[in-house]
């Protein structure tokens, strides 16, 4: 019986591109920096944060993000359909 219910529950299709940080921040009701900081600390499991190596000239390292459309959906119910949304 449970297997039948699970088969009937169909998840939406997700685009291959990641959700922009600005969109995730709007959906979550926080600033973009909060999304990135919480992802980096492990408090928000919706994707990955990549930190570049600092340059030799003393510049700070940069952070890039990958936010999974599926993980954001599972957390919030928001369906990201891509930039053409």
């Amino acid at each position: 019986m449970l297997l039948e219910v699970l088969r009937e529950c169909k998840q939406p299709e997700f685009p291959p591109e990641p959700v922009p940080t600005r969109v995730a921040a709007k959906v979550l009701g926080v600033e973009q920096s909060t999304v990135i900081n919480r992802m980096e600390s492990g408090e928000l499991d919706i994707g990955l944060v990549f930190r570049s190596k600092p340059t030799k000239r003393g510049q700070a390292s940069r952070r890039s993000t990958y936010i999974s459309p599926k993980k954001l959906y599972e957390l919030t119910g928001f369906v990201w359909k891509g930039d053409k949304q």
Side-chain angles (χ1 to χ4, degrees):
M1 174 118 163
L2 178 61
L3 188 56
E4 291 173 20
V5 172
L6 290 173
R7 284 183 185 151
E8 290 178 18
C9 295
K10 193 173 185 181
Q11 283 192 345
E13 290 190 29
F14 302 103
E17 71 262 10
V19 179
T21 309
R22 64 177 165 71
V23 173
K26 186 174 181 180
V27 169
L28 295 168
V30 296
E31 297 291 324
Q32 290 185 45
S33 59
T34 302
V35 172
I36 296 168
N37 291 337
R38 289 189 177 172
M39 286 175 61
E40 192 169 42
S41 73
E43 293 176 68
L44 184 58
D45 183 24
I46 59 171
L48 302 168
V49 177
F50 304 96
R51 189 177 279 274
S52 66
K53 293 180 181 179
T55 62
K56 293 179 183 178
R57 297 181 186 201
Q59 294 177 340
S61 62
R62 296 184 52 105
R63 297 183 294 180
S64 299
T65 61
Y66 169 81
I67 299 176
S68 165
K70 183 178 180 183
K71 284 190 171 191
L72 186 63
Y73 167 77
E74 290 170 348
L75 179 67
T76 66
F78 173 78
V79 178
W80 170 248
K81 295 181 182 177
D83 279 325
K84 296 176 184 174
Q85 194 166 22

